[in-house]
């Protein structure tokens, strides 16, 4: 294999991916071991961080394993990582915020008279369907 060949240019990238993969797998194993030794109880923020770390590092390891085995280009690895981050991190956070805001809003709607709630809902629907001015 000559230094200028295409095979030579991909070799350091694959070695780097395997090194990163082994580091992420070790971090995942450490988080799982620490969580297991503490009894998998989610009583403190540290326990929650360990479980989230175990899941996150495991998923990142699987993504890098696919990238290393199938020799994905960096763009595809980044796309898969971003997509996974979106669905595993941002969507649950969004659902949590919606629930956090929705419960007090629901309680507030229960405390007002029904005719006022109907008027508020109708006003919101009118505002949403209002044509935009040019």
């Amino acid at each position: 294999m000559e230094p200028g060949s295409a095979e030579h240019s991909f070799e350091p990238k694959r070695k780097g991916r395997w090194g990163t993969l082994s580091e992420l797998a070790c971090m995942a194993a450490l988080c799982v071991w620490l969580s297991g030794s503490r009894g998998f109880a989610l009583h403190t923020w540290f326990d929650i961080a360990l479980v989230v770390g175990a899941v996150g590092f495991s998923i990142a390891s699987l993504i890098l394993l696919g990238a290393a085995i199938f020799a994905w280009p960096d763009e595809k690895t980044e796309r898969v990582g971003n997509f996974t981050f979106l669905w595993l991190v941002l969507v649950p956070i969004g659902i949590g915020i919606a629930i956090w805001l929705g419960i007090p809003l629901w309680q507030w709607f229960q405390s007002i008279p029904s005719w006022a709630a109907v008027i508020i809902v109708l006003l919101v629907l009118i505002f949403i369907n209002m044509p935009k001015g040019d």
Side-chain angles (χ1 to χ4, degrees), residues 63 77-89 91:
I63 290 172
T77 306
E78 186 175 337
R79 247 188 355 258
V80 170
N82 290 341
F83 183 77
T84 305
F85 177 77
L86 172 76
W87 281 102
L88 290 179
V89 176
V91 169

Side-chain angles (χ1 to χ4, degrees), residues 15-82:
K15 287 181 182 176
R17 284 185 178 166
W18 285 108
T20 306
L21 172 66
S22 63
E23 293 167 1
L24 287 172
C26 288
M27 289 298 294
L30 178 67
C31 287
V32 169
W33 177 74
L34 283 173
S35 296
S37 67
R38 296 174 61 90
F40 290 109
L42 300 176
H43 297 299
T44 64
W45 285 105
F46 183 71
D47 296 333
I48 294 170
L50 283 176
V51 171
V52 169
V55 170
F57 286 128
S58 298
I59 290 171
S61 298
L62 291 174
I63 290 172
L64 273 178
L65 179 64
I69 289 175
F70 300 116
W72 289 348
D74 288 340
E75 296 82 22
K76 182 172 183 179
T77 306
E78 186 175 337
R79 247 188 355 258
V80 170
N82 290 341

